[in-house]
């Protein structure tokens, strides 16, 4: 049984930082591409960032490029999302997701992902 558990969400002021973590269990993490998505109130879930098995490939949405950094530690089965220069429009529930595709790459599409966490709330005040 695959489990993804996010943590690190909370309240931040605009311009501040938060770091989200997602711990995975149940399958070989080092062969799992990981992604972060978010869903704001009344909005569809949207792609934020993705990272390949080895960490050698990363992708970001235009909205977070140059402010957010995705990384992973395969020894800890954990993927991170460092969020800097936060804006009120970054407020959302953030979800991590696991992609068990056969290739060491990263995917920006919702449909690539096989498992999802429960989400962690991020609220940015102005």
């Amino acid at each position: 049984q695959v489990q993804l558990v996010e943590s690190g969400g909370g309240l931040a002021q605009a311009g501040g930082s938060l770091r989200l973590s997602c711990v995975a269990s149940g399958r070989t993490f080092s062969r799992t591409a990981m992604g972060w998505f978010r869903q704001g109130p009344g909005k569809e879930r949207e792609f934020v960032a993705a990272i390949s098995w080895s960490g050698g490939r990363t992708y970001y949405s235009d909205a977070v490029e140059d402010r957010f950094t995705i990384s992973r530690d395969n020894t800890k089965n954990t993927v991170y999302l460092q969020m800097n220069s936060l804006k009120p429009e970054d407020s959302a529930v953030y979800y991590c997701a696991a992609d068990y595709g056969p290739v060491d790459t990263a995917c920006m599409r919702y449909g690539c992902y096989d498992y999802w966490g429960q989400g962690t709330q991020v609220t940015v005040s102005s």
Side-chain angles (χ1 to χ4, degrees):
Q1 181 72 18
V2 174
Q3 276 197 314
L4 303 175
V5 180
E6 302 100 334
S7 63
L11 178 64
Q13 290 190 332
S17 299
L18 286 172
R19 188 175 81 154
L20 306 183
S21 300
C22 173
V23 179
S25 61
R27 289 185 66 168
T28 305
F29 185 74
S30 60
R31 294 282 184 173
T32 308
M34 299 296 294
W36 286 97
F37 288 72
R38 67 187 182 185
Q39 188 166 15
K43 298 182 180 180
E44 293 187 352
R45 195 169 298 191
E46 65 175 358
F47 170 76
V48 175
I51 188 166
S52 61
W53 300 348
S54 61
R57 294 190 182 192
T58 57
Y59 298 111
Y60 298 92
S61 69
D62 290 343
V64 308
E65 182 87 53
D66 298 327
R67 299 188 299 122
F68 291 9
T69 302
I70 189 170
S71 62
R72 65 189 295 158
D73 184 342
N74 287 349
T75 66
K76 297 181 179 179
N77 288 3
T78 303
V79 63
Y80 304 97
L81 186 69
Q82 178 67 44
M83 306 186 295
N84 298 330
S85 302
L86 283 163
K87 304 175 181 180
E89 51 264 43
D90 294 319
S91 297
V93 177
Y94 282 71
Y95 299 90
C96 74
D99 169 12
Y100 293 102
V103 181
D104 185 13
T105 187
C107 182
M108 296 183 283
R109 293 185 295 109
Y110 180 94
C112 289
Y113 293 87
D114 304 293
Y115 293 91
W116 296 81
Q118 292 299 305
T120 185
Q121 177 72 48
V122 171
T123 303
V124 183
S125 63
S126 58

